[in-house]
Amino acid sequence: ETGVTQSPTHLIKTRGQQVTLRCSSQSGHNTVSWYQQALGQGPQFIFQYYREEENGRGNFPPRFSGLQFPNYSSELNVNALELDDSALYLCASSRGLDGGMDTQYFGPGTRLTVL
Amino acid sequence: GNSVTQMEGPVTLSEEAFLTINCTYTATGYPSLFWYVQYPGEGLQLLLKATKADDKGSNKGFEATYRKETTSFHLEKGSVQVSDSAVYFCALSKIYNQGGKLIFGQGTELSVKP
């Protein structure tokens, strides 16, 4: 069973640019959640996708957007990058409530640095 | 609102010492509770979970019991090893619609010395 994978591993961008991060969910999972983890902090929920629809959003501005594809992989897009967007971005997949479980399994993350 | 509070780190222990990391939560309803571990430079790994009151989650010698009366989910291990050095996150799952979002504590760094 393949776990959650994310790409790229590391990324360096400059302020004002746009970035796309990618995530492949674990086999059998239809729900993908994205989290931002600033240095020394716990992860903060950005949004969740269930069967290609956004299913909840945290306290992040609209320049954070996402997609989920028919194979349940997902993208996180961030426009107009700011210095404070520098963080580890984590993707997690789960069965949602279809499988009667809410356990989320995380990928290794993408380290984004904004200069 | 929903929140998780963990004891502050770093926690430094000698190998084979007893570990306790305190975690308390505030939530409406009956959330599921989780402990995740993060090794340096890596993502989060699920360590253990409990889905209802008085459930005990356990894995790799770690244990935590869901205590509704004290709204706590403390992590314990009887004898830590150097390889347990990592950051530990307590989290609760808030269910809505078809899924749930995780709300994390700030993390507790554990350092185990030989």
Side-chain angles (χ1 to χ4, degrees), chain A residues 55-113:
Chain A
N55 184 45
R57 188 180 182 91
N59 190 26
F60 281 81
R63 58 190 187 83
F64 286 78
S65 63
L67 284 173
Q68 188 179 32
F69 300 99
N71 66 354
Y72 303 127
S73 66
S74 177
E75 287 182 354
L76 164 65
N77 299 290
V78 187
N79 293 322
L81 283 167
E82 301 177 359
L83 298 180
D84 284 349
D85 296 333
S86 295
L88 181 67
Y89 288 84
L90 295 163
C91 167
S93 75
S94 63
R95 290 192 177 92
L97 293 181
D98 286 0
M101 298 172 63
D102 59 355
T103 302
Q104 297 185 20
Y105 297 88
F106 284 80
T110 294
R111 173 73 62 186
L112 173 65
T113 302

Short mmCIF file of all heavy atoms in Angstrom, two decimals, chain A residues 55-113:
data_model
loop_
_atom_site.label_atom_id
_atom_site.label_comp_id
_atom_site.label_asym_id
_atom_site.label_seq_id
_atom_site.Cartn_x
_atom_site.Cartn_y
_atom_site.Cartn_z
N ASN A 55 -14.39 20.89 1.35
CA ASN A 55 -15.22 20.43 2.47
C ASN A 55 -14.71 21.02 3.77
O ASN A 55 -14.33 20.33 4.69
CB ASN A 55 -15.18 18.91 2.52
CG ASN A 55 -16.09 18.33 3.59
OD1 ASN A 55 -17.23 18.75 3.73
ND2 ASN A 55 -15.59 17.38 4.35
N GLY A 56 -14.66 22.34 3.82
CA GLY A 56 -14.21 23.00 5.03
C GLY A 56 -12.92 23.76 4.78
O GLY A 56 -12.05 23.32 4.02
N ARG A 57 -12.78 24.89 5.43
CA ARG A 57 -11.65 25.77 5.24
C ARG A 57 -11.28 26.41 6.57
O ARG A 57 -12.15 26.78 7.36
CB ARG A 57 -12.01 26.86 4.22
CG ARG A 57 -10.87 27.71 3.78
CD ARG A 57 -11.32 28.76 2.76
NE ARG A 57 -10.17 29.53 2.32
CZ ARG A 57 -9.41 29.24 1.28
NH1 ARG A 57 -9.70 28.19 0.53
NH2 ARG A 57 -8.37 29.98 0.95
N GLY A 58 -10.00 26.52 6.80
CA GLY A 58 -9.52 27.20 8.00
C GLY A 58 -9.39 28.69 7.76
O GLY A 58 -9.86 29.24 6.76
N ASN A 59 -8.71 29.36 8.67
CA ASN A 59 -8.60 30.82 8.63
C ASN A 59 -7.43 31.26 7.74
O ASN A 59 -6.44 31.82 8.22
CB ASN A 59 -8.42 31.35 10.06
CG ASN A 59 -8.54 32.85 10.13
OD1 ASN A 59 -9.19 33.46 9.29
ND2 ASN A 59 -7.89 33.43 11.11
N PHE A 60 -7.55 30.99 6.45
CA PHE A 60 -6.53 31.37 5.49
C PHE A 60 -7.18 32.22 4.39
O PHE A 60 -8.33 31.98 4.02
CB PHE A 60 -5.88 30.12 4.87
CG PHE A 60 -4.84 29.50 5.77
CD1 PHE A 60 -5.21 28.66 6.80
CD2 PHE A 60 -3.50 29.78 5.59
CE1 PHE A 60 -4.27 28.11 7.65
CE2 PHE A 60 -2.54 29.22 6.42
CZ PHE A 60 -2.93 28.39 7.46
N PRO A 61 -6.44 33.19 3.84
CA PRO A 61 -7.03 34.09 2.83
C PRO A 61 -7.29 33.36 1.52
O PRO A 61 -6.75 32.27 1.27
CB PRO A 61 -5.95 35.16 2.67
CG PRO A 61 -4.69 34.51 3.08
CD PRO A 61 -5.06 33.55 4.18
N PRO A 62 -8.09 33.98 0.63
CA PRO A 62 -8.46 33.34 -0.64
C PRO A 62 -7.29 33.07 -1.58
O PRO A 62 -7.44 32.27 -2.51
CB PRO A 62 -9.42 34.37 -1.27
CG PRO A 62 -9.96 35.15 -0.13
CD PRO A 62 -8.84 35.23 0.87
N ARG A 63 -6.12 33.72 -1.35
CA ARG A 63 -5.00 33.43 -2.22
C ARG A 63 -4.46 32.01 -2.01
O ARG A 63 -3.63 31.54 -2.78
CB ARG A 63 -3.89 34.48 -2.04
CG ARG A 63 -3.36 34.60 -0.66
CD ARG A 63 -2.44 35.83 -0.50
NE ARG A 63 -1.82 35.84 0.80
CZ ARG A 63 -0.73 35.16 1.10
NH1 ARG A 63 -0.13 34.46 0.16
NH2 ARG A 63 -0.24 35.19 2.32
N PHE A 64 -4.95 31.34 -0.97
CA PHE A 64 -4.69 29.91 -0.80
C PHE A 64 -5.87 29.18 -1.42
O PHE A 64 -7.03 29.34 -0.98
CB PHE A 64 -4.60 29.52 0.68
CG PHE A 64 -3.32 29.94 1.35
CD1 PHE A 64 -3.13 31.25 1.75
CD2 PHE A 64 -2.31 29.02 1.58
CE1 PHE A 64 -1.95 31.64 2.36
CE2 PHE A 64 -1.13 29.40 2.20
CZ PHE A 64 -0.94 30.71 2.59
N SER A 65 -5.60 28.41 -2.47
CA SER A 65 -6.68 27.68 -3.13
C SER A 65 -6.23 26.26 -3.44
O SER A 65 -5.03 25.95 -3.37
CB SER A 65 -7.10 28.39 -4.43
OG SER A 65 -6.02 28.40 -5.35
N GLY A 66 -7.17 25.41 -3.79
CA GLY A 66 -6.81 24.03 -4.03
C GLY A 66 -7.69 23.36 -5.06
O GLY A 66 -8.68 23.92 -5.54
N LEU A 67 -7.29 22.15 -5.37
CA LEU A 67 -8.03 21.30 -6.30
C LEU A 67 -7.89 19.87 -5.83
O LEU A 67 -6.87 19.50 -5.24
CB LEU A 67 -7.45 21.38 -7.71
CG LEU A 67 -7.72 22.58 -8.59
CD1 LEU A 67 -6.90 22.48 -9.85
CD2 LEU A 67 -9.21 22.69 -8.91
N GLN A 68 -8.90 19.07 -6.14
CA GLN A 68 -8.75 17.62 -6.00
C GLN A 68 -9.19 16.99 -7.31
O GLN A 68 -10.19 17.40 -7.92
CB GLN A 68 -9.59 17.07 -4.84
CG GLN A 68 -9.28 15.59 -4.57
CD GLN A 68 -10.06 15.01 -3.42
OE1 GLN A 68 -11.19 15.40 -3.15
NE2 GLN A 68 -9.47 14.04 -2.73
N PHE A 69 -8.44 16.01 -7.76
CA PHE A 69 -8.67 15.38 -9.05
C PHE A 69 -9.44 14.07 -8.89
O PHE A 69 -9.56 13.55 -7.79
CB PHE A 69 -7.32 15.16 -9.74
CG PHE A 69 -6.57 16.44 -9.96
CD1 PHE A 69 -5.55 16.82 -9.10
CD2 PHE A 69 -6.89 17.28 -11.02
CE1 PHE A 69 -4.87 18.01 -9.28
CE2 PHE A 69 -6.22 18.47 -11.21
CZ PHE A 69 -5.21 18.84 -10.34
N PRO A 70 -9.96 13.53 -10.01
CA PRO A 70 -10.75 12.29 -9.92
C PRO A 70 -10.01 11.13 -9.27
O PRO A 70 -10.64 10.25 -8.70
CB PRO A 70 -11.10 11.99 -11.38
CG PRO A 70 -11.13 13.33 -12.04
CD PRO A 70 -10.02 14.11 -11.37
N ASN A 71 -8.69 11.12 -9.35
CA ASN A 71 -7.93 10.04 -8.69
C ASN A 71 -7.64 10.37 -7.23
O ASN A 71 -6.88 9.68 -6.57
CB ASN A 71 -6.64 9.74 -9.44
CG ASN A 71 -5.66 10.89 -9.39
OD1 ASN A 71 -5.97 11.98 -8.88
ND2 ASN A 71 -4.47 10.67 -9.92
N TYR A 72 -8.23 11.48 -6.74
CA TYR A 72 -8.14 11.96 -5.35
C TYR A 72 -6.80 12.60 -5.01
O TYR A 72 -6.60 12.99 -3.85
CB TYR A 72 -8.49 10.87 -4.35
CG TYR A 72 -9.87 10.31 -4.58
CD1 TYR A 72 -10.08 8.94 -4.70
CD2 TYR A 72 -10.97 11.16 -4.69
CE1 TYR A 72 -11.35 8.43 -4.93
CE2 TYR A 72 -12.24 10.65 -4.93
CZ TYR A 72 -12.42 9.29 -5.04
OH TYR A 72 -13.69 8.79 -5.28
N SER A 73 -5.89 12.74 -5.97
CA SER A 73 -4.71 13.56 -5.71
C SER A 73 -5.14 15.01 -5.61
O SER A 73 -6.27 15.37 -5.98
CB SER A 73 -3.66 13.36 -6.81
OG SER A 73 -4.15 13.86 -8.05
N SER A 74 -4.24 15.85 -5.13
CA SER A 74 -4.64 17.23 -4.84
C SER A 74 -3.51 18.21 -5.08
O SER A 74 -2.33 17.83 -5.09
CB SER A 74 -5.10 17.33 -3.38
OG SER A 74 -5.44 18.65 -3.02
N GLU A 75 -3.87 19.45 -5.32
CA GLU A 75 -2.90 20.55 -5.42
C GLU A 75 -3.28 21.66 -4.45
O GLU A 75 -4.46 21.91 -4.20
CB GLU A 75 -2.92 21.16 -6.84
CG GLU A 75 -2.29 20.33 -7.90
CD GLU A 75 -2.30 21.02 -9.27
OE1 GLU A 75 -2.91 22.10 -9.41
OE2 GLU A 75 -1.71 20.44 -10.19
N LEU A 76 -2.25 22.31 -3.92
CA LEU A 76 -2.42 23.52 -3.14
C LEU A 76 -1.74 24.64 -3.92
O LEU A 76 -0.57 24.50 -4.28
CB LEU A 76 -1.78 23.36 -1.76
CG LEU A 76 -1.52 24.63 -0.95
CD1 LEU A 76 -2.84 25.30 -0.58
CD2 LEU A 76 -0.71 24.32 0.30
N ASN A 77 -2.46 25.70 -4.20
CA ASN A 77 -1.92 26.86 -4.89
C ASN A 77 -1.90 28.06 -3.96
O ASN A 77 -2.87 28.31 -3.25
CB ASN A 77 -2.78 27.20 -6.12
CG ASN A 77 -2.82 26.06 -7.12
OD1 ASN A 77 -1.83 25.76 -7.77
ND2 ASN A 77 -3.95 25.39 -7.22
N VAL A 78 -0.80 28.77 -3.97
CA VAL A 78 -0.70 29.99 -3.19
C VAL A 78 -0.25 31.10 -4.12
O VAL A 78 0.80 31.01 -4.76
CB VAL A 78 0.29 29.86 -2.01
CG1 VAL A 78 0.22 31.12 -1.14
CG2 VAL A 78 0.01 28.61 -1.20
N ASN A 79 -1.08 32.14 -4.22
CA ASN A 79 -0.76 33.31 -5.05
C ASN A 79 -0.16 34.42 -4.21
O ASN A 79 -0.33 34.46 -2.98
CB ASN A 79 -2.04 33.82 -5.72
CG ASN A 79 -2.58 32.84 -6.74
OD1 ASN A 79 -1.83 32.19 -7.45
ND2 ASN A 79 -3.90 32.72 -6.78
N ALA A 80 0.53 35.35 -4.89
CA ALA A 80 1.06 36.55 -4.23
C ALA A 80 1.77 36.20 -2.93
O ALA A 80 1.41 36.66 -1.85
CB ALA A 80 -0.08 37.54 -3.98
N LEU A 81 2.78 35.36 -3.04
CA LEU A 81 3.48 34.86 -1.85
C LEU A 81 3.99 35.98 -0.96
O LEU A 81 4.49 37.02 -1.44
CB LEU A 81 4.64 33.97 -2.28
CG LEU A 81 4.25 32.56 -2.75
CD1 LEU A 81 5.43 31.90 -3.45
CD2 LEU A 81 3.77 31.73 -1.59
N GLU A 82 3.87 35.75 0.34
CA GLU A 82 4.38 36.67 1.36
C GLU A 82 5.45 35.94 2.17
O GLU A 82 5.49 34.71 2.21
CB GLU A 82 3.24 37.13 2.26
CG GLU A 82 2.12 37.84 1.51
CD GLU A 82 0.96 38.24 2.40
OE1 GLU A 82 1.02 37.96 3.62
OE2 GLU A 82 0.00 38.84 1.88
N LEU A 83 6.29 36.73 2.83
CA LEU A 83 7.37 36.14 3.64
C LEU A 83 6.82 35.17 4.68
O LEU A 83 7.42 34.12 4.94
CB LEU A 83 8.19 37.24 4.31
CG LEU A 83 8.92 38.21 3.38
CD1 LEU A 83 9.69 39.24 4.21
CD2 LEU A 83 9.87 37.47 2.45
N ASP A 84 5.67 35.50 5.26
CA ASP A 84 5.07 34.67 6.31
C ASP A 84 4.52 33.34 5.79
O ASP A 84 4.12 32.49 6.58
CB ASP A 84 3.93 35.41 7.01
CG ASP A 84 4.45 36.46 7.97
OD1 ASP A 84 5.67 36.45 8.24
OD2 ASP A 84 3.64 37.28 8.45
N ASP A 85 4.51 33.17 4.46
CA ASP A 85 4.07 31.89 3.90
C ASP A 85 5.16 30.83 3.99
O ASP A 85 4.92 29.65 3.69
CB ASP A 85 3.64 32.05 2.44
CG ASP A 85 2.43 32.96 2.27
OD1 ASP A 85 1.63 33.04 3.23
OD2 ASP A 85 2.30 33.58 1.20
N SER A 86 6.36 31.23 4.38
CA SER A 86 7.45 30.26 4.55
C SER A 86 7.07 29.28 5.65
O SER A 86 6.81 29.69 6.80
CB SER A 86 8.75 30.98 4.93
OG SER A 86 9.19 31.82 3.88
N ALA A 87 7.02 28.00 5.31
CA ALA A 87 6.55 26.98 6.26
C ALA A 87 6.70 25.61 5.62
O ALA A 87 7.07 25.48 4.46
CB ALA A 87 5.08 27.21 6.61
N LEU A 88 6.40 24.60 6.44
CA LEU A 88 6.27 23.22 5.93
C LEU A 88 4.80 23.01 5.61
O LEU A 88 3.95 23.23 6.47
CB LEU A 88 6.75 22.23 6.99
CG LEU A 88 6.70 20.75 6.62
CD1 LEU A 88 7.71 20.43 5.51
CD2 LEU A 88 6.98 19.87 7.84
N TYR A 89 4.50 22.60 4.40
CA TYR A 89 3.11 22.35 3.99
C TYR A 89 2.89 20.84 3.97
O TYR A 89 3.56 20.11 3.25
CB TYR A 89 2.81 22.99 2.64
CG TYR A 89 2.73 24.48 2.78
CD1 TYR A 89 3.88 25.27 2.74
CD2 TYR A 89 1.51 25.11 3.01
CE1 TYR A 89 3.82 26.64 2.93
CE2 TYR A 89 1.43 26.48 3.19
CZ TYR A 89 2.59 27.24 3.15
OH TYR A 89 2.51 28.59 3.35
N LEU A 90 1.93 20.42 4.76
CA LEU A 90 1.66 19.00 4.93
C LEU A 90 0.32 18.64 4.31
O LEU A 90 -0.67 19.35 4.47
CB LEU A 90 1.62 18.66 6.43
CG LEU A 90 2.93 18.84 7.18
CD1 LEU A 90 2.69 18.87 8.68
CD2 LEU A 90 3.89 17.70 6.84
N CYS A 91 0.33 17.52 3.64
CA CYS A 91 -0.89 16.96 3.07
C CYS A 91 -1.23 15.70 3.86
O CYS A 91 -0.33 14.96 4.26
CB CYS A 91 -0.63 16.62 1.60
SG CYS A 91 -1.87 15.60 0.82
N ALA A 92 -2.50 15.48 4.10
CA ALA A 92 -2.93 14.28 4.81
C ALA A 92 -4.13 13.68 4.09
O ALA A 92 -5.00 14.41 3.61
CB ALA A 92 -3.32 14.61 6.25
N SER A 93 -4.16 12.38 3.98
CA SER A 93 -5.32 11.74 3.36
C SER A 93 -6.04 10.85 4.36
O SER A 93 -5.46 10.40 5.35
CB SER A 93 -4.91 10.95 2.12
OG SER A 93 -4.26 9.73 2.43
N SER A 94 -7.31 10.61 4.07
CA SER A 94 -8.14 9.78 4.96
C SER A 94 -9.30 9.22 4.17
O SER A 94 -9.56 9.63 3.04
CB SER A 94 -8.63 10.60 6.15
OG SER A 94 -9.46 11.67 5.72
N ARG A 95 -10.01 8.30 4.81
CA ARG A 95 -11.20 7.75 4.18
C ARG A 95 -12.41 8.65 4.38
O ARG A 95 -13.49 8.37 3.88
CB ARG A 95 -11.51 6.37 4.76
CG ARG A 95 -10.52 5.31 4.36
CD ARG A 95 -11.05 3.94 4.73
NE ARG A 95 -10.16 2.89 4.30
CZ ARG A 95 -9.18 2.38 5.05
NH1 ARG A 95 -9.00 2.82 6.27
NH2 ARG A 95 -8.41 1.42 4.57
N GLY A 96 -12.25 9.74 5.13
CA GLY A 96 -13.40 10.57 5.47
C GLY A 96 -14.35 9.73 6.29
O GLY A 96 -13.93 8.78 6.97
N LEU A 97 -15.60 10.02 6.24
CA LEU A 97 -16.57 9.25 7.00
C LEU A 97 -17.13 8.09 6.19
O LEU A 97 -17.89 7.28 6.71
CB LEU A 97 -17.71 10.13 7.49
CG LEU A 97 -17.31 11.17 8.54
CD1 LEU A 97 -18.51 11.99 8.98
CD2 LEU A 97 -16.64 10.51 9.73
N ASP A 98 -16.72 7.97 4.92
CA ASP A 98 -17.19 6.85 4.11
C ASP A 98 -16.76 5.53 4.74
O ASP A 98 -17.48 4.55 4.73
CB ASP A 98 -16.62 6.93 2.69
CG ASP A 98 -17.29 8.01 1.87
OD1 ASP A 98 -18.18 8.68 2.41
OD2 ASP A 98 -16.91 8.17 0.70
N GLY A 99 -15.55 5.56 5.27
CA GLY A 99 -15.01 4.35 5.86
C GLY A 99 -15.23 4.28 7.35
O GLY A 99 -14.69 3.41 8.01
N GLY A 100 -16.01 5.23 7.87
CA GLY A 100 -16.29 5.21 9.30
C GLY A 100 -15.12 5.62 10.16
O GLY A 100 -15.12 5.43 11.36
N MET A 101 -14.09 6.21 9.54
CA MET A 101 -12.91 6.57 10.30
C MET A 101 -12.52 8.00 9.97
O MET A 101 -12.78 8.47 8.87
CB MET A 101 -11.74 5.65 9.95
CG MET A 101 -11.99 4.19 10.26
SD MET A 101 -10.67 3.15 9.61
CE MET A 101 -9.28 3.76 10.54
N ASP A 102 -11.88 8.69 10.90
CA ASP A 102 -11.43 10.03 10.62
C ASP A 102 -9.92 10.16 10.79
O ASP A 102 -9.41 11.24 10.94
CB ASP A 102 -12.15 11.04 11.52
CG ASP A 102 -11.91 10.74 13.00
OD1 ASP A 102 -11.27 9.72 13.30
OD2 ASP A 102 -12.38 11.53 13.83
N THR A 103 -9.20 9.06 10.77
CA THR A 103 -7.76 9.11 10.97
C THR A 103 -7.08 9.63 9.72
O THR A 103 -7.36 9.16 8.61
CB THR A 103 -7.22 7.71 11.30
OG1 THR A 103 -7.88 7.23 12.47
CG2 THR A 103 -5.72 7.76 11.54
N GLN A 104 -6.23 10.62 9.88
CA GLN A 104 -5.52 11.22 8.76
C GLN A 104 -4.06 10.77 8.77
O GLN A 104 -3.41 10.77 9.81
CB GLN A 104 -5.61 12.75 8.83
CG GLN A 104 -7.05 13.24 8.72
CD GLN A 104 -7.18 14.74 8.67
OE1 GLN A 104 -6.24 15.45 8.36
NE2 GLN A 104 -8.37 15.23 8.97
N TYR A 105 -3.56 10.45 7.58
CA TYR A 105 -2.19 9.99 7.40
C TYR A 105 -1.44 11.03 6.57
O TYR A 105 -1.91 11.42 5.50
CB TYR A 105 -2.17 8.62 6.72
CG TYR A 105 -2.83 7.56 7.56
CD1 TYR A 105 -4.20 7.33 7.46
CD2 TYR A 105 -2.10 6.82 8.48
CE1 TYR A 105 -4.82 6.37 8.26
CE2 TYR A 105 -2.70 5.85 9.28
CZ TYR A 105 -4.07 5.64 9.16
OH TYR A 105 -4.67 4.70 9.96
N PHE A 106 -0.28 11.42 7.10
CA PHE A 106 0.43 12.55 6.53
C PHE A 106 1.54 12.13 5.57
O PHE A 106 2.18 11.08 5.75
CB PHE A 106 1.05 13.40 7.65
CG PHE A 106 0.05 14.24 8.37
CD1 PHE A 106 -0.77 13.71 9.35
CD2 PHE A 106 -0.10 15.59 8.04
CE1 PHE A 106 -1.71 14.48 10.00
CE2 PHE A 106 -1.04 16.37 8.70
CZ PHE A 106 -1.85 15.81 9.68
N GLY A 107 1.80 13.02 4.60
CA GLY A 107 2.96 12.90 3.75
C GLY A 107 4.16 13.56 4.41
O GLY A 107 4.05 14.12 5.51
N PRO A 108 5.31 13.52 3.73
CA PRO A 108 6.54 14.06 4.31
C PRO A 108 6.61 15.58 4.29
O PRO A 108 7.46 16.16 4.98
CB PRO A 108 7.63 13.46 3.42
CG PRO A 108 6.95 13.22 2.12
CD PRO A 108 5.54 12.86 2.45
N GLY A 109 5.73 16.24 3.53
CA GLY A 109 5.70 17.69 3.52
C GLY A 109 6.53 18.31 2.41
O GLY A 109 7.43 17.69 1.85
N THR A 110 6.21 19.57 2.11
CA THR A 110 7.00 20.41 1.21
C THR A 110 7.46 21.63 1.99
O THR A 110 6.63 22.35 2.57
CB THR A 110 6.17 20.88 0.00
OG1 THR A 110 5.83 19.76 -0.81
CG2 THR A 110 6.96 21.90 -0.83
N ARG A 111 8.76 21.82 2.03
CA ARG A 111 9.32 22.98 2.73
C ARG A 111 9.38 24.14 1.76
O ARG A 111 10.13 24.10 0.79
CB ARG A 111 10.72 22.66 3.25
CG ARG A 111 11.46 23.85 3.85
CD ARG A 111 10.91 24.26 5.19
NE ARG A 111 11.02 23.21 6.20
CZ ARG A 111 10.49 23.30 7.42
NH1 ARG A 111 9.81 24.35 7.77
NH2 ARG A 111 10.63 22.30 8.26
N LEU A 112 8.57 25.20 2.00
CA LEU A 112 8.54 26.39 1.16
C LEU A 112 9.27 27.52 1.85
O LEU A 112 8.97 27.85 3.01
CB LEU A 112 7.10 26.80 0.87
CG LEU A 112 6.90 28.13 0.14
CD1 LEU A 112 7.48 28.06 -1.27
CD2 LEU A 112 5.43 28.51 0.10
N THR A 113 10.20 28.12 1.15
CA THR A 113 10.91 29.29 1.64
C THR A 113 10.61 30.45 0.70
O THR A 113 10.78 30.33 -0.51
CB THR A 113 12.42 29.06 1.69
OG1 THR A 113 12.69 27.93 2.53
CG2 THR A 113 13.15 30.28 2.24
#
